Amino acid sequence: ENYQMKYYFYHILSWPQLLWVAEDFDGSIVGYVLAKMEEDDAKPPSHGHITSLAVLRTHRKRGIATALMRRSQVEMHEVFGAEYVSLHVRKSNRAAFHLYNETLRYEISDIERGYYADGEDAYDMRCTFGREDKSKE
C-alpha cells in the first residue's frame, strides 16, 4: 500500500526505534521496515504493529526481511514493553505469508474482508513475544 509522506514522518518521529533500513555495500537502501506501537489504551495489552516491510526484488531471499522484522520486534518488546506484534498481509501474497508464518512464527488471528483498496482480503496475523521461551519450559 502507498502512504502519504506525513504518515512516514509520523512513524519516524513517534517511534524511531521501530524503523530500520538495510543498506547495500554502497550505502543504497535495499529494504526497510516501518512499525508503530498501537496507541489505543482501551485495548490492552500493549502491542506493536508492522505497517510496512519491503525489500528490493534483487535483494530478496538473503534474510534481509527476516533481519529487519526481528530487529523491529526486539525494540517493540524491550523498549516499549509490547506483548505481541500484529500485521496485515494480502491473502494472495504467498511469499510474505510464508515469511511471517513459517520463518517468524506469526499466526492468523482474523481475516479482514476487503481490507485493501482493491477489495482483497487480508490476514490479520500476530506474533506473541516470549512464546518460544515458554514452550522450552
Side-chain angles (χ1 to χ4, degrees), residues 25-119:
F25 67 94
D26 62 359
S28 59
I29 294 175
V30 298
Y32 75 90
V33 63
L34 183 70
K36 65 178 183 172
M37 292 302 297
E38 290 294 351
E39 299 177 297
D40 188 355
D41 293 332
K43 290 185 177 180
S46 174
H47 68 281
H49 183 78
I50 302 296
T51 302
S52 182
L53 172 70
V55 175
L56 291 177
R57 288 188 191 281
T58 55
H59 288 71
R60 292 182 185 169
K61 297 289 190 185
R62 299 181 188 187
I64 295 170
T66 301
L68 290 168
M69 289 287 290
R70 287 189 173 145
R71 185 72 253 166
S72 188
Q73 290 174 180
V74 164
E75 299 298 322
M76 283 178 196
H77 185 58
E78 292 182 0
V79 175
F80 294 102
E83 294 185 24
Y84 69 91
V85 57
S86 64
L87 58 79
H88 292 96
V89 62
R90 287 179 177 272
K91 285 182 74 176
S92 65
N93 191 341
R94 302 309 304 160
F97 182 83
H98 184 270
L99 169 69
Y100 302 138
N101 186 252
E102 299 296 323
T103 304
L104 297 170
R105 300 297 183 209
Y106 280 68
E107 296 176 349
I108 297 171
S109 172
D110 198 4
I111 296 175
E112 301 266 350
R113 305 279 178 216
Y115 179 81
Y116 291 99
D118 63 4

